[in-house]
Each structure stands twice: as C-alpha cells, then as structure tokens.
Amino acid sequence: MALLLPGYGDLILLAGPCTIAALILLWRALFLRITAPAAPEPVPEPNRILIDGSNVMYWRDNTPRIETLREVIGQLRRIGFAPGVVFDANAGYLLTGKYKHDDAMAGYLGLAEDWVMVVPKGTVADRYLLTVARDVGAPIVTNDRYRDWAADYPEVKQSGRLIRGGYRDGALWFEGMDIPT
C-alpha cells in the first residue's frame, strides 16, 4: 500500500524494522520459553512473633485497650522479639469507636504498617493469623487455643507455637515462650 499511494513511502522505513523486531520477539517467546525464576522458599525471620490483637487487647480487666497491646509489644521487644499484630475488622470500633485500617492501628502501636493487619470485614481473622504465622515461622501470643483450626494448622498443637499471657496482680506474664538468645 505504501508503494502505491503517494506520501506513504516513508511507512516502509518503519514497517520493515518493526516486522523484524516482532519476529525476533515471537521467536524468543516460542523457542526459548523465557520463564521467571522460581520464587525462593520463605525463610523464617529471626525472633518474629505475632500477636492476636483482638484477643490480647482484652487481657487487662477484660476491657479492650490499646495500652495493653502497647505494653505487650514493649515487653516482647525488650526480650528480643520482633512483633507483628493481626486484628479482627471490628478492632478499631472496639478501641476508638470508628473503623481503623492497618496504618492507623500501626500508628497507635508504634509498629511498621507492614507488621499490622486489620482483616477485611466479614472475614475470619484466625485464618489470616495462622497463615501468616505459618509463613514466617512465628509463634502467636494469644489465649485462644485454635481448636477449630487444628486440622488445617496442626502446628498450633506444637509446644511453643501458642504463647499464653495476661496480667496477675497488675504484672504482665507469658507462658510457654522460648526467650530468644
């Protein structure tokens, strides 16, 4: 067409190199089968620990308090852990009267947003928490025993995977925890 119509001759200068480039790309895709490298296996991060935020916030006087979580996070940091927190969707309502997303809850707790998760409304936080704990090889600070989830997450039955805690005579305590060295 470019040869027959006046003024379109310059299209041949573009069409030729474009056709050659397309053929090279097609050949590479078909014959070399370029694939992305396999993702590396997740490596457990040292001293990572997860907190069931919706459980732990009730530890002091059975009342939801952000201060309780801050104290637990501080104590875990002092003994060498790097904590992350997972909340039910309603945690913000319970603590502040309004929905709060990951970034707001992270700000209240003094944690990086990457290590605070508020699960989407209508979903079960336990599945998220147990999956993240499995993926990063971390124990969970909670008084929940996750019996309903033991078939899918048998690691909850292993010693040291679920760390109980609370307050006795105003002092924070943990049970079943291996202190990092």
Side-chain angles (χ1 to χ4, degrees), residues 59-60 68 71-73 75-76 165-168 170-174:
W59 280 7
R60 187 185 295 266
T68 303
E71 187 173 347
V72 168
I73 289 166
Q75 181 63 21
L76 291 170
Y167 286 85
R168 277 192 205 118
L172 179 62
W173 61 271
F174 297 109

Side-chain angles (χ1 to χ4, degrees), residues 86 88 117 119 123-134 146 149 152-153:
V86 177
D88 291 318
M117 174 188 273
V119 301
T123 60
V124 180
D126 292 353
R127 181 180 305 275
Y128 280 84
L129 180 62
L130 293 167
T131 300
V132 172
R134 176 184 282 170
Y146 301 108
W149 297 94
D152 294 329
Y153 300 90

